[in-house]
Amino acid sequence: MKVGLYANASEHSQRVKHHLLEELGKQAIDIDHEEPDILISIGGDGTLLGAFQKYRNQLSKIRFVGLHTGHLGFYTDWREYEIKELIASILQDTGQYVTYPLLEAVVKFVDGSVMRTLSLNEATIKKMSGTMVADVYLSGDWFERFRGDGLAISTPTGSTAYNKAIGGAVIHPNLEAIQLAELASINNRVFRTLGSPLIIAPDDTIRIVPADSVNLVLTYDQCVIAGRPISEIIYHVAPEKIAFAKYRHMHFWHRVNESFIGKLQE
């Protein structure tokens, strides 16, 4: 069992990282930050997104664990004062895990180059200034012409993040689906979109073809692509999944309740 650590740059998270390294060393647990079996993210949800992007090419080999040094989030099950309990779980590890679906995007640029991205939370396409105009195709068929600030495509776990803030639905991660939500769409007597979030099945695709290929900004999780003219983007459920070590993994609806409501009914 090889354990790797990934921490954000805050002084507090770095202290927790060094303390965790000391405790792992006392138990003679192998440390490998390059090709770990277990990757412990130290920070918050943003830190775990960074860890996911760094290790995205090793998803079939790694199980993630989130250790909080801040506010409670969706991807982190342990707090900094529970290091001994976490190490005890690692020592008793039997390979248990829970998986979540991911979002794949294939970005085709005007110059003919192609880029593939993976997102744990969501991806967006926006225009730097003015109205973004784009044709939206679902599973190859034209669906609508969008006009507005942009479009967001999220995973089920990402449905509680930016997607929720723009009026999208919260989806349980047992559903291998992605969601398309609009950002300030223009709907009047002349221009019309559905105006509702769309839940897309795992074998369906979302193809977005912008009317203007320049001045577009793409994001996927915390990553940004800008300044490259885009011809089209195709989104769908990725073949890969992310795995979390299921030591005491909190149920999804419990996470939603704790994050947005705050107290379970007695």
Side-chain angles (χ1 to χ4, degrees):
M1 176 71 67
K2 298 179 296 182
V3 175
L5 305 183
Y6 182 95
N8 63 36
S10 74
E11 183 178 342
H12 182 44
S13 294
Q14 290 297 318
R15 283 201 306 268
V16 173
K17 175 183 176 180
H18 291 306
H19 177 50
L20 181 55
L21 281 171
E22 291 177 0
E23 295 300 318
L24 290 168
K26 291 177 183 178
Q27 299 298 328
I29 296 174
D30 290 339
I31 304 300
D32 187 338
H33 301 305
E34 299 303 319
E35 296 184 347
D37 301 305
I38 298 289
L39 192 284
I40 302 175
S41 169
I42 304 168
D45 283 351
T47 306
L48 199 139
L49 289 176
F52 164 74
Q53 290 296 337
K54 178 177 179 179
Y55 294 93
R56 65 185 181 275
N57 294 324
Q58 301 181 51
L59 295 179
S60 63
K61 304 175 182 178
I62 294 179
R63 287 174 294 148
F64 290 80
V65 174
L67 191 154
H68 256 297
T69 57
H71 301 293
L72 187 64
F74 272 83
Y75 296 117
T76 45
D77 295 313
W78 300 85
R79 301 307 296 262
E80 60 188 275
Y81 50 79
E82 298 176 308
I83 286 178
K84 289 186 177 180
E85 292 87 344
L86 173 56
I87 292 176
S89 295
I90 293 173
L91 291 171
Q92 299 170 15
D93 185 278
T94 59
Q96 64 270 46
Y97 63 90
V98 59
T99 60
Y100 290 156
L102 302 171
L103 170 67
E104 176 182 284
V106 177
V107 186
K108 299 181 180 181
F109 298 97
V110 172
D111 63 9
S113 59
V114 177
M115 179 179 182
R116 179 181 184 264
T117 68
L118 279 179
S119 303
L120 175 56
N121 260 10
E122 78 275 312
T124 68
I125 175 171
K126 304 176 184 178
K127 194 167 184 180
M128 293 182 185
S129 62
T131 301
M132 187 184 89
V133 180
D135 286 314
V136 178
Y137 296 80
L138 301 180
S139 294
D141 295 325
W142 183 88
F143 183 75
E144 66 181 16
R145 169 156 279 209
F146 172 84
R147 290 175 173 84
D149 286 353
L151 294 163
I153 303 90
S154 63
T155 66
T157 46
S159 70
T160 59
Y162 185 48
N163 169 77
K164 182 180 180 298
I166 60 175
V170 175
I171 303 177
H172 195 285
N174 282 354
L175 299 175
E176 294 190 20
I178 55 176
Q179 182 171 179
L180 174 67
E182 300 177 353
L183 301 172
S185 59
I186 298 174
N187 284 290
N188 52 38
R189 293 176 61 187
V190 179
F191 305 125
R192 177 64 53 189
T193 63
L194 184 63
S196 300
L198 301 176
I199 311 301
I200 308 300
D203 54 352
D204 287 342
T205 60
I206 301 169
R207 178 173 169 241
I208 298 174
V209 182
D212 185 356
S213 62
V214 298
N215 296 321
L216 295 173
V217 177
L218 302 184
T219 70
Y220 57 104
D221 289 342
Q222 300 169 325
C223 305
V224 179
I225 303 172
R228 299 184 64 184
I230 296 164
S231 59
E232 67 176 32
I233 315 165
I234 300 172
Y235 297 97
H236 57 88
V237 177
E240 303 97 329
K241 292 185 179 181
I242 185 172
F244 286 86
K246 193 178 181 181
Y247 299 141
R248 61 168 196 188
H249 205 62
M250 190 184 299
H251 292 298
F252 181 74
W253 293 123
H254 192 170
R255 292 177 186 274
V256 174
N257 177 277
E258 281 207 352
S259 296
F260 299 111
I261 300 173
K263 184 178 180 182
L264 290 171
Q265 186 177 7
E266 298 178 355

